[in-house]
Amino acid sequence: MKKVRIGIAGYGNLGKGVELAIRQNDDMELTAVFTRRDPSSVKTLTEGVKVCSLDDAKAMADEIDVMVICGGSATDLPEQTPELAKYFNVIDSFDTHARIPEHFANVDKAAKENGHLALISLGWDPGLFSINRLYAESILPNGKSYTFWGKGVSQGHSDAIRRVEGVKKGIQYTCPVDEAIEAVRSGSMPELTTRQKHTRECWVVAEEGADLAKIEETIKSMKNYFDQYDTTVNFISEEEFDAVHNKMPHGGFVMRSGLTGDGEKTNQMIEYSLKLGSNPEFTASVLICYARALSRLRNEGATGCKTAFDIAPAYLSPLSAEELRAAML
Amino acid sequence: MKKVRIGIAGYGNLGKGVELAIRQNDDMELTAVFTRRDPSSVKTLTEGVKVCSLDDAKAMADEIDVMVICGGSATDLPEQTPELAKYFNVIDSFDTHARIPEHFANVDKAAKENGHLALISLGWDPGLFSINRLYAESILPNGKSYTFWGKGVSQGHSDAIRRVEGVKKGIQYTCPVDEAIEAVRSGSMPELTTRQKHTRECWVVAEEGADLAKIEETIKSMKNYFDQYDTTVNFISEEEFDAVHNKMPHGGFVMRSGLTGDGEKTNQMIEYSLKLGSNPEFTASVLICYARALSRLRNEGATGCKTAFDIAPAYLSPLSAEELRAAML
């Protein structure tokens, strides 16, 4: 069997996760890593992997079946995905929900004009959580949907903490409120405010001599980031910080509480949850799984841009349709 | 917008559920109910719905877009689905896992030869649970999958109880063992025996003067049904039985515990669960949702037999691709 030849564009936490996920899938192989840094300065986890400058990527168009783009959503992906879609079949994890329609249109145009296939906004949210919202809302039209995130590290909120004067290191965990989840599970379809759904837990290493009370007050009152939440700020030593807060766990819950039957009185509950030891490694596993689907769909002639909504589950598995029906249905 | 015209073949609990689910979906309408009983003896929940003999169904081939077949898997569906697929686009909830490949082949042949589209084995298991097994195993290739059922009524086990001498009424609930679920959630990937995963809880109304000890012993030692489980048998009055045990709740859990990362040491957990007030009403809601997908795929020209694995999520929703991307991704 011919393996799917993968290129990785961007070699941060997500790119490294993709490299490791490829090792778990026999039908995939890593062809090259592309970076904006000096390629000679990048040391990959896998010995002997080719590292190239991202600027030279297009010269390798014939050697790569799927380019997995591992940049950030704020500024990297809006540029990179449409540009690389001119030369490659591409997949990304673009997660700025409000800008997805615009990103989709840009990528779709570039991919269609050049006969390539693109998959955007893959991962777990957007991605697996989106699919579960869609399945659940389609099955239970009379109902209410809820998404809870955490417990997990929010990069955006951690960055915000680190910008506060006197903060040397900082990390923020988004925590779902157990009572809110239980209220949803009860079938009562509660209306929940932002404050009722999540709390924010901050761990901070302060600069020597910094005003701790002021740091705490500045964090807690930060508009949009923290002011609408019950926030706790914990000051710890740098040693403890480095030892305990060096992982990127995350996860969450998608729930749909619905009513069916005569008079719509029967409670039905659908719940999907993730508990992830590493957010970037899991996101990478989702990307590689969808790279398989992308490769197959491209071989069937598909071009343009698609999302997780457009991909039939069978395309994700290395098993044949017959094997899936016999073993997994 | 032209509505999808639904026929219901078989008017038991599932058929009634389908009738009620159609009311919750504006793009669907119920055209007729087909029964093996004397049509004049069948009273539908919706006033004015046409009730016809199943034998006369083919005369209405032009009036029905999707026939939802609501018979049992043991003897009804293996006959009815291939037969009706000659005249209609059909959907069923065939749930005898071991016989799915054979059923698929029979339905596929009949549907293809007559230019129709069929969807088989829809509902929650097989169905939503199958899809979740597939997604989770494709994303986390190094891992272990678990399915737990319940708490819920097992028709097969309830029937088995009712065949015991001295039993007037009986119902059986399959219960997942909490400790087993917690062990899976811990990421330890336990090996679990049949006895460790589920218990069986029986509620029995005995005939007057029956030997209760003997009934209990007969149930508990019943081969395959109960002997491999910790089973409890509770005797109650007919009044209590009728008041408390008149619902058909069910549900369960599909879980995948996997490892990712360097050295495959990072725990990742995917969990999907259902808590259903009514098993037949929920199954009906799934069938109607997939009837929408079937109708669209048929309009695109698809024929033959498909399963939940072959249907992209977007086909299930009444929303357009643009609306889905903007609102749900």
Side-chain angles (χ1 to χ4, degrees), chain A residues 157 161 172-173 195 198-202 216 219-222 225-234:
Chain A
H157 290 80
I161 291 178
Q172 193 265 187
Y173 298 89
R195 191 177 298 274
H198 297 94
T199 59
R200 300 200 176 274
E201 193 182 278
C202 309
E216 180 168 344
I219 291 173
K220 287 187 171 177
S221 59
M222 210 182 286
Y225 282 93
F226 292 101
D227 63 333
Q228 298 176 321
Y229 299 86
D230 289 338
T231 301
T232 54
V233 179
N234 308 282

Side-chain angles (χ1 to χ4, degrees), chain A residues 24 130 264 266 271 273 329, chain B residues 24 130 264 271 273 281 329:
Chain A
Q24 295 189 306
S130 321
E264 302 185 284
T266 310
E271 179 172 335
S273 68
L329 198 63
Chain B
Q24 295 189 306
S130 321
E264 302 185 284
E271 180 172 335
S273 68
E281 286 175 16
L329 196 62

Side-chain angles (χ1 to χ4, degrees), chain A residues 291-311:
Chain A
R292 174 181 296 124
L294 190 161
S295 163
R296 289 180 177 170
L297 280 161
R298 181 67 201 96
N299 288 340
E300 291 177 10
T303 62
C305 189
K306 293 183 185 285
T307 74
F309 294 156
D310 306 309
I311 312 297

Side-chain angles (χ1 to χ4, degrees), chain A:
Chain A
M1 194 184 62
K2 214 171 140 285
K3 294 192 179 196
V4 180
R5 301 168 303 170
I6 305 286
I8 297 174
Y11 195 65
N13 287 323
L14 183 58
K16 285 175 191 157
V18 170
E19 177 183 6
L20 294 167
I22 290 169
R23 293 187 192 170
Q24 295 189 306
N25 291 277
D26 295 340
D27 57 344
M28 306 270 160
E29 65 185 12
L30 176 57
T31 300
V33 166
F34 299 91
T35 178
R36 284 177 299 194
R37 289 176 274 171
D38 171 5
S40 69
S41 74
V42 172
K43 171 110 187 68
T44 59
L45 298 168
T46 314
E47 224 170 305
V49 167
K50 199 187 287 188
V51 181
C52 311
S53 168
L54 190 54
D55 295 331
D56 304 334
K58 59 182 126 174
M60 289 183 67
D62 291 342
E63 297 169 53
I64 286 167
D65 298 313
V66 179
M67 183 70 92
V68 184
I69 312 179
C70 299
S73 293
T75 55
D76 299 337
L77 298 177
E79 299 287 327
Q80 291 176 348
T81 310
E83 177 61 22
L84 289 168
K86 294 180 188 167
Y87 312 101
F88 301 95
N89 302 306
V90 296
I91 184 165
D92 79 17
S93 62
F94 184 77
D95 67 358
T96 311
H97 292 261
R99 294 186 61 194
I100 286 174
E102 173 193 346
H103 187 57
F104 181 91
N106 293 339
V107 176
D108 191 50
K109 183 166 183 288
K112 273 205 185 113
E113 286 177 356
N114 294 279
H116 292 127
L117 182 61
L119 279 177
I120 61 159
S121 300
L122 263 304
W124 57 276
D125 195 4
L128 301 179
F129 273 20
S130 321
I131 294 172
N132 274 282
R133 284 187 282 264
L134 195 165
Y135 276 115
E137 296 197 10
S138 302
I139 291 163
L140 296 174
N142 180 5
K144 205 162 152 49
S145 294
Y146 300 84
T147 302
F148 293 91
W149 294 276
K151 180 180 177 175
V153 176
S154 162
Q155 292 300 339
H157 290 80
S158 298
D159 289 345
I161 291 178
R162 289 190 286 262
R163 286 193 296 266
V164 172
E165 200 188 320
V167 171
K168 189 172 180 190
K169 293 185 173 179
I171 193 166
Q172 193 265 187
Y173 298 89
T174 306
C175 307
V177 175
D178 287 343
E179 292 75 17
I181 292 178
E182 288 310 319
V184 173
R185 283 190 184 136
S186 76
S188 68
M189 298 194 203
E191 290 290 338
L192 296 168
T193 63
T194 298
R195 191 177 298 274
Q196 286 171 321
K197 287 181 72 184
H198 297 94
T199 59
R200 300 200 176 274
E201 193 182 278
C202 309
W203 299 84
V204 173
V205 180
E207 303 278 7
E208 237 184 272
D211 181 342
L212 304 191
K214 196 177 162 202
I215 290 174
E216 180 168 344
E217 178 51 30
T218 305
I219 291 173
K220 287 187 171 177
S221 59
M222 210 182 286
K223 272 252 177 293
N224 300 321
Y225 282 93
F226 292 101
D227 63 333
Q228 298 176 321
Y229 299 86
D230 289 338
T231 301
T232 54
V233 179
N234 308 282
F235 293 96
I236 53 174
S237 70
E238 189 159 5
E239 292 68 39
E240 186 182 344
F241 188 97
D242 292 345
V244 178
H245 300 287
N246 57 1
K247 299 253 181 8
M248 280 170 285
H250 220 311
F253 303 78
V254 172
M255 305 166 82
R256 175 95 176 156
S257 177
L259 294 166
T260 63
D262 208 2
E264 302 185 284
K265 289 176 197 152
T266 310
N267 279 301
Q268 312 277 16
M269 175 69 57
I270 303 175
E271 179 172 335
Y272 182 78
S273 68
L274 298 172
K275 194 178 160 197
L276 310 175
S278 162
N279 182 354
E281 287 174 15
F282 187 80
T283 301
S285 294
V286 176
L287 289 174
I288 276 302
C289 177
Y290 274 92
R292 174 181 296 124
L294 190 161
S295 163
R296 289 180 177 170
L297 280 161
R298 181 67 201 96
N299 288 340
E300 291 177 10
T303 62
C305 189
K306 293 183 185 285
T307 74
F309 294 156
D310 306 309
I311 312 297
Y315 282 97
L316 302 175
S317 173
L319 302 180
S320 72
E322 293 72 20
E323 288 170 326
L324 286 175
R325 284 195 296 269
M328 226 174 278
L329 198 63

Side-chain angles (χ1 to χ4, degrees), chain B residues 118-174:
Chain B
L119 279 177
I120 61 158
S121 300
L122 262 305
W124 57 277
D125 196 3
L128 301 180
F129 274 18
S130 321
I131 294 172
N132 275 281
R133 284 187 282 264
L134 195 167
Y135 275 115
E137 297 198 8
S138 302
I139 291 162
L140 297 174
N142 180 5
K144 206 162 152 49
S145 295
Y146 299 84
T147 302
F148 292 91
W149 293 275
K151 183 179 176 176
V153 176
S154 162
Q155 292 299 340
H157 290 80
S158 298
D159 289 344
I161 291 177
R162 289 190 285 262
R163 286 192 297 265
V164 172
E165 199 188 320
V167 171
K168 189 171 180 189
K169 293 184 173 178
I171 192 166
Q172 193 266 187
Y173 297 90
T174 306

Side-chain angles (χ1 to χ4, degrees), chain B residues 209-225:
Chain B
D211 181 341
L212 303 192
K214 196 178 162 200
I215 290 174
E216 181 168 345
E217 177 52 30
T218 306
I219 291 173
K220 286 186 173 178
S221 59
M222 210 182 285
K223 272 251 177 292
N224 300 321
Y225 282 93

